[in-house]
Amino acid sequence: MKVLHLSFHQGCQNDIQYISEKLGFELEFMTFTDGVTKDNEIYNITKERAQIAWDNYKDYYNKFDCIITSDTAPISRVFLQHNWSKKLIIWICNRFDYCHGSNSGFPDEEYYDLIRSVKNRKNVEIIGYTDFENYYANY
């Protein structure tokens, strides 16, 4: 199985690397980018940024059987918004609606709807890093 791990966090990368070695799946890591956005704005994954990332990297993404997003769950928007049909694992390590700053337009209602839609997507799993993450997301 070929797995792509998208994240911003070295610690998450180390954890998934360790698991891949123990379970024997082929893993590649990529620090998430849309190819355009700079600095901390990249954390605010609006509908437009998700579209840019998809347009710039969809051929690369489609080489994988499974994608894991970690650190900030909004990375998953790229795949939820485009009805990704392969396995998607969303590892919430920093609030599912984490954003940087308050004037970004993110999180938006469409993002919340995408997250809510996961319960109807058999190919998607959400895993909270801590009980707090689960509580916050359910609240």
Side-chain angles (χ1 to χ4, degrees):
M1 178 187 294
K2 288 183 67 171
V3 177
L4 174 63
H5 177 206
L6 295 168
S7 186
F8 298 111
H9 196 277
Q10 182 67 47
C12 294
Q13 180 184 358
N14 294 345
D15 287 348
I16 299 296
Q17 179 66 42
Y18 176 82
I19 290 169
S20 76
E21 291 168 4
K22 294 296 181 187
L23 297 179
F25 57 84
E26 185 180 338
L27 178 69
E28 286 188 36
F29 175 80
M30 178 180 162
T31 299
F32 178 77
T33 182
D34 62 8
V36 177
T37 306
K38 303 290 185 210
D39 302 319
N40 289 329
E41 285 302 310
I42 194 61
Y43 292 106
N44 303 325
I45 303 175
T46 62
K47 179 178 184 174
E48 294 76 22
R49 287 195 182 119
Q51 186 64 52
I52 291 167
W54 181 256
D55 291 344
N56 286 335
Y57 297 101
K58 68 181 169 193
D59 291 338
Y60 178 65
Y61 298 150
N62 280 310
K63 293 179 181 180
F64 296 92
D65 304 307
C66 174
I67 292 182
I68 301 171
T69 64
S70 72
D71 185 27
T72 62
I75 295 169
S76 67
R77 182 181 196 146
V78 175
F79 306 99
L80 296 173
Q81 183 171 298
H82 291 93
N83 293 310
W84 178 256
S85 62
K86 298 178 187 179
K87 187 69 176 168
L88 175 64
I89 300 171
I90 305 167
W91 185 23
I92 304 173
C93 305
N94 196 357
R95 294 188 325 273
F96 80 96
D97 58 355
Y98 176 82
C99 67
H100 190 272
S102 59
N103 296 323
S104 67
F106 181 82
D108 54 274
E109 194 58 36
E110 184 177 340
Y111 173 72
Y112 289 114
D113 289 342
L114 288 167
I115 291 295
R116 285 183 200 107
S117 76
V118 168
K119 66 184 174 211
N120 299 317
R121 298 178 190 229
K122 294 180 182 189
N123 63 310
V124 182
E125 296 290 332
I126 295 180
I127 301 167
Y129 186 68
T130 65
D131 288 341
F132 170 80
E133 301 297 351
N134 295 330
Y135 177 83
Y136 179 78
N138 283 318
Y139 180 75

